Amino acid sequence: MKFEKMTEGQYRLDVKGYVCPHPQLYTKKALEKLSPGETLEIVFDNPSSGESIAVMCDNTGDEITEQKLDGGMYVWHIRKA
Amino acid sequence: MSEEKRRFWAYMIVGVLALISVSTYAYNEYYIYLSVYMWFGFVYGMCLQYGRFCFSSAFRDLFAVGVPRMAVGIMIAIALFGLVGAFVSATGLSTFHSAPTSFHAVVAGFIFGVGMTFAGGCASGSMYKTGEGNMNALLVVLSISVTQAIFVDIGGWTNSLVPEAWKASALTKGLPASITVTDGWVDQYLAGYVWDQPVMSFATMLGWTDKSYIGAFIGNLLIGVVIPGALLLVIVYYIWSRKTYMRKNLPKDQAAPTWRNELAGYWAMISASKRTAIAGLALGIAAGLHMYAIQGLRVKFGMRNAGALLERIGFDFGLSAQGTVFDPGYWYVTTQEAQWVGWLFHRLGWNHLDNIFFGWVNGIPNPAFNPADWMSIALFGGAAVMALLHNEFKFKKPTLETATWALMGGALMGIGSRLGLGCNVGAFFVRVSQGDPSGWLFGLGMVGGAFIGVKLVNHWTERRMAQQFAASKI
């Protein structure tokens, strides 16, 4: 697992290889740390985590601005509400 | 992997399974019994992968991230399986038998619940994830399998942990000399404690029979499944879903929600994840039809257990002392996982036919001719086909950290499933659907286990995340 600051207000969370509940737990904790308007790029390869992260963002109001899937690898961008 | 390759492998899997069905049927018609298990296993795998259907997620995500979608999906599947099951039961074709009901189911569910949270998936969830190419999930399946096979035959110092009352009661059960009933903790737990507990259903508790229409539909379905299920979803709605729904949908000039708003919110929660709901619907119907098909074949072939068929085909190695093998007649996961390891251990010289679990009840047939193993192998295949067709197949190698979680979780699930006489499918999903109160007790334990499991996993992830925040100077 790797969490890093890319540029000002942009962060990246890499949770490739992890299964539930780790990707959604790390995403939750990362988003809690961000300030409103900042963005988080998450990279994961556990499909079921995507379902949970989507509902979690819907509940908190955080916006998923981009979703990519390539060869079983998911890259999502989330803007903190 | 290119789309053509993915399609090729998906068709290849279906083709191989079809070839097995056709060629074995051509060799001997009795193989159709195994093929029915196989194709229902295939459908289960497709449904599980399509809906990301994981019982672990149902309980865990409520506590971990406040997401109720899977809890809802599972209740839908249970209700639909219950509906089809009630029809099958009322027509006298059900293969289901209630399990003994007592506090042991809660303890077993608790251990299982902690395990599935550690492992990142329940017993069936780990199987469909293996079909997605996840080797962590394969480790979980292996850990469940090996742990069970060891646990059911472990004797020695564990015999000293057995209460005298269990030992005395076990000796009165009249088991044959080939079963060493006083040597083995699980043997004495089963024969000395579990078998002495009452076996019931909601129908029989109300004075009806499971085979009557009133017993099946009112007792087991309405009172045993629909009403408690709907009430549980009301609790889930109030704690995890209502606030978000009202924030988004309640008009700003409206001070408080009306009953109409509440009902709309409840329905919105139920229909929130169509994918999970569709999978739950298909899974519930398939599970019910599975019972119907297997019982029909039993009537056609004039037998009550696949052990008789295996003998007729000429494979009598590994049958239990009663001439039976594990043949539930419906969806099951963990027993056949234990069986192939038990068979392997037995072949390597460790006698696994002297314990109750294998030697008296389930047998250890060659996995190549074990109906339930055909179901499990096809479940991997069904999940792989669905993942390939949706570009979600990816080989994932375990790391030391993820492998440790997988092995620990799998071991706990293996122990929990043997104590509870089944896993999230056999001891919870099937039993609750068919009006067996012990299923609810196992589920209650799973909720408690998931809660504690989330606390422990949360503690770990908190530490890891704090290290990353410190490194990023955030």
Side-chain angles (χ1 to χ4, degrees), chain A residues 10 39-44 53-54 57 62-69 73-79:
Chain A
Q10 290 190 336
T39 60
L40 176 71
E41 177 184 285
I42 48 170
V43 183
F44 62 101
I53 291 168
C57 289
D62 298 331
E63 185 189 358
I64 300 172
T65 55
E66 194 179 343
Q67 290 173 299
K68 282 189 211 156
L69 168 62
M73 186 74 73
Y74 296 79
V75 181
W76 288 14
H77 289 88
I78 303 172
R79 183 181 295 117

Side-chain angles (χ1 to χ4, degrees), chain B residues 45 71 182 186 203-204 208 221 227 229 264 295 362 368 403 427 446 455 462:
Chain B
T182 54
V186 172
T204 58
W208 299 314
L221 179 62
I227 292 174
Q295 188 61 17
N362 298 305
M446 277 205 296
K455 291 273 177 207
E462 196 84 56

Side-chain angles (χ1 to χ4, degrees), chain B residues 27-28 30-31 34 306-319 325 347 365-366 369:
Chain B
Y27 177 70
N28 191 319
Y30 290 140
Y31 276 103
L34 283 77
L309 281 194
L310 293 185
E311 268 192 308
R312 289 180 206 172
I313 297 172
F315 299 112
D316 59 356
F317 172 78
L319 302 187
V325 294
R347 284 297 195 187
N366 186 325
F369 309 107

Side-chain angles (χ1 to χ4, degrees), chain B residues 400-412:
Chain B
L400 181 63
E401 182 194 344
T402 58
T404 306
W405 283 112
L407 294 175
M408 280 195 309
L412 288 170

Side-chain angles (χ1 to χ4, degrees), chain A residues 1-3 11 17-21 24-26 28-29 45 48 51-52 56 58-59 71-74, chain B residues 52 60-61 64-66 69 120 134 136 247-248 391-392 394 396 401 458 461-462 464 468 472 474:
Chain A
M1 189 274 292
K2 193 166 176 57
F3 177 80
Y11 299 85
Y18 281 90
V19 294
C20 297
Q24 49 265 51
L25 271 176
Y26 284 127
K28 184 180 180 215
K29 290 178 199 308
D45 54 10
S48 55
E51 300 280 325
S52 298
M56 191 172 79
D58 192 44
N59 288 346
M73 186 74 73
Y74 296 79
Chain B
R52 288 85 161 85
R60 180 202 61 217
D61 280 4
V65 287
R69 78 175 169 97
N134 188 329
N136 279 301
R247 175 170 53 80
K248 285 184 181 173
N391 195 17
E392 291 176 337
K394 183 174 182 289
K396 276 165 264 184
E401 182 194 344
N458 212 20
T461 53
E462 196 84 56
R464 294 288 314 274
Q468 294 289 316
S472 301
I474 300 171

